[in-house]
């Protein structure tokens, strides 16, 4: 039951984009086309999931063991940066067009507050290793869902008659706000899962 509640909470109820408002920079910057949005979402999913596991191990078997929990932020960012570098190399070799499309936003996963946020929240929530990985994966799926939905809407908006003053980022912010309101509705549907 806890497994399902962590998944539902990460994807819908506590969505990092629409509810916690973390990771907005890549969300708005890469959500113009579905293809690049999915690429970014998959990259973030890998980094968030693996970083959740590695940072949990570092916290419990290095930082806590040696009495240096104050080094948490530095250690976690180093892990995330190494994972992002790995993802960047893989995408550059396997899909150069996606690498070009993601541009500066790919290395910015390192400073994406959603990635660091999920690793810190795993420690604060006192999850074990398995649930930390599940929470990281669920949060990443929530990010993937949010960025893909936004990209689909933004692609449709290109063919809409929008006043010039609202074109581009103003309409993106309005759309994101309306989607956030819709995601808040999940909190009422799944009240039992809000404890996470």
């Amino acid at each position: 039951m806890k497994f399902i509640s962590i998944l539902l909470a990460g994807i819908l109820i506590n969505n990092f984009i629409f509810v916690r408002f973390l990771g907005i920079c890549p969300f708005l910057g890469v959500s113009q086309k579905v293809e690049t949005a999915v690429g970014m979402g998959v990259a973030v999913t890998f980094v968030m999931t693996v970083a959740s596991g590695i940072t949990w191990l570092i916290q419990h078997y290095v930082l806590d063991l040696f009495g240096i929990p104050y080094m948490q932020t530095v250690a976690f960012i180093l892990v995330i940066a190494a994972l992002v570098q790995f993802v960047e190399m893989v995408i550059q070799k396997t899909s150069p067009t996606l690498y070009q499309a993601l541009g500066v936003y790919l290395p910015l996963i390192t400073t994406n507050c959603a990635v660091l946020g999920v690793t810190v929240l795993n420690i604060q929530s006192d999850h074990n290793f398995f649930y930390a990985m599940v929470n990281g994966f669920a949060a990443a799926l929530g990010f993937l869902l949010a960025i893909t939905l936004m990209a689909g809407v933004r692609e449709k908006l290109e063919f809409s008659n929008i006043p010039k003053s609202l074109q581009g980022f103003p309409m993106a912010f309005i759309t994101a706000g309306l989607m956030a309101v819709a995601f808040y509705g999940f909190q009422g549907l799944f009240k039992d899962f809000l404890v996470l």
Side-chain angles (χ1 to χ4, degrees), residues 1 33 41 43 59 70 73-74 77 81 87 92 101 108 112 115 129 136 138 140 145-146 157 162 168-169 176:
M1 184 67 177
K33 300 285 180 205
Q59 179 70 39
Y70 54 86
T73 304
V74 173
I77 288 175
V87 168
Q92 188 175 15
L108 281 179
N112 185 341
V115 180
F129 178 76
L145 175 68
L157 286 174
I162 299 171
F169 277 113

Side-chain angles (χ1 to χ4, degrees), residues 64-116:
D64 290 346
L65 189 68
F66 292 105
I68 51 172
Y70 54 86
M71 293 295 293
Q72 181 186 66
T73 304
V74 173
F76 287 11
I77 288 175
L78 287 174
V79 168
I80 293 165
L83 288 170
V84 169
Q85 189 66 35
F86 173 75
V87 168
E88 193 173 355
M89 290 186 305
V90 168
I91 291 176
Q92 188 175 15
K93 292 287 184 190
T94 58
S95 180
T97 54
L98 178 60
Y99 179 78
Q100 290 294 330
L102 292 175
V104 71
Y105 293 101
L106 187 58
L108 281 179
I109 296 174
T110 302
T111 58
N112 185 341
C113 55
V115 180
L116 181 61

Side-chain angles (χ1 to χ4, degrees), residues 47-71:
V47 171
M48 253 192 207
T49 305
V50 175
S52 292
I54 293 173
T55 55
W56 188 93
L57 292 171
I58 288 172
Q59 179 70 39
H60 289 86
Y61 294 109
V62 177
L63 301 178
D64 290 346
L65 189 68
F66 292 105
I68 51 172
Y70 54 86
M71 293 295 293

